[in-house]
Amino acid sequence: MARNLPNLSVLQQMARDDPAALERLRNEMVEQLINDAPERQHRRLRGLQFQIDAIRHSKRSPLRRCQILSEMMLESFAKLDSELNRLSNKRSKAAHRENNTTSTKVLPFQRRH
């Protein structure tokens, strides 16, 4: 069962007054998201979370962490977009070939003497 994210003012208060509780909440929600995903995706999601955690712990500046994670996300979206375009083009070409082969009619030429 998915846990709801508290509203912004509660999150701000947690960040200010109890950062450890905010971190526990983050960990719980990440675990819940991974557990709710199909089993075949768990390993990939855990690997991705490992990369995210490594970036979060290796960079001092919150802004720099945000920049790196945003770049990571944009790169992932670019790969997804590229793959979707490739599949769409492949599907379009197959449909075009199918339409051409089913609708083409060869007409015989008759010679006149």
Side-chain angles (χ1 to χ4, degrees):
M1 185 170 141
R3 182 173 176 179
N4 290 332
L5 184 66
N7 67 40
L8 181 60
S9 61
V10 171
L11 293 172
Q12 287 173 327
Q13 181 183 2
M14 288 175 77
R16 184 180 54 249
D17 300 336
D18 194 357
L22 182 59
E23 182 63 14
R24 282 191 303 277
L25 175 65
R26 187 192 68 78
N27 285 327
E28 288 171 14
M29 295 191 81
V30 165
E31 279 302 310
Q32 188 65 52
L33 182 72
I34 292 172
N35 291 332
D36 287 349
E39 182 90 26
R40 68 183 185 280
Q41 294 178 349
H42 286 193
R43 185 172 177 191
R44 173 70 181 116
L45 291 172
R46 291 206 184 281
L48 182 59
Q49 188 59 47
F50 178 82
Q51 289 178 319
I52 291 168
D53 288 339
I55 291 166
R56 289 180 62 239
H57 296 298
S58 69
K59 305 299 176 199
R60 278 192 148 95
S61 164
L63 180 58
R64 185 63 186 138
R65 288 191 299 255
C66 183
Q67 288 172 328
I68 292 170
L69 293 172
S70 292
E71 289 167 6
M72 213 170 118
M73 182 180 64
L74 289 174
E75 184 179 313
S76 180
F77 278 131
K79 287 178 184 177
L80 177 62
D81 183 55
S82 176
E83 186 63 18
L84 289 174
N85 285 332
R86 186 186 70 76
L87 291 172
S88 178
N89 289 338
K90 189 176 181 180
R91 180 191 250 169
S92 294
K93 288 176 184 176
H96 181 70
R97 279 194 305 271
E98 185 178 304
N99 288 339
N100 284 343
T101 57
T102 57
S103 65
T104 302
K105 187 173 182 180
V106 177
L107 300 174
F109 286 100
Q110 295 180 356
R111 277 191 152 173
R112 290 188 183 188
H113 289 88

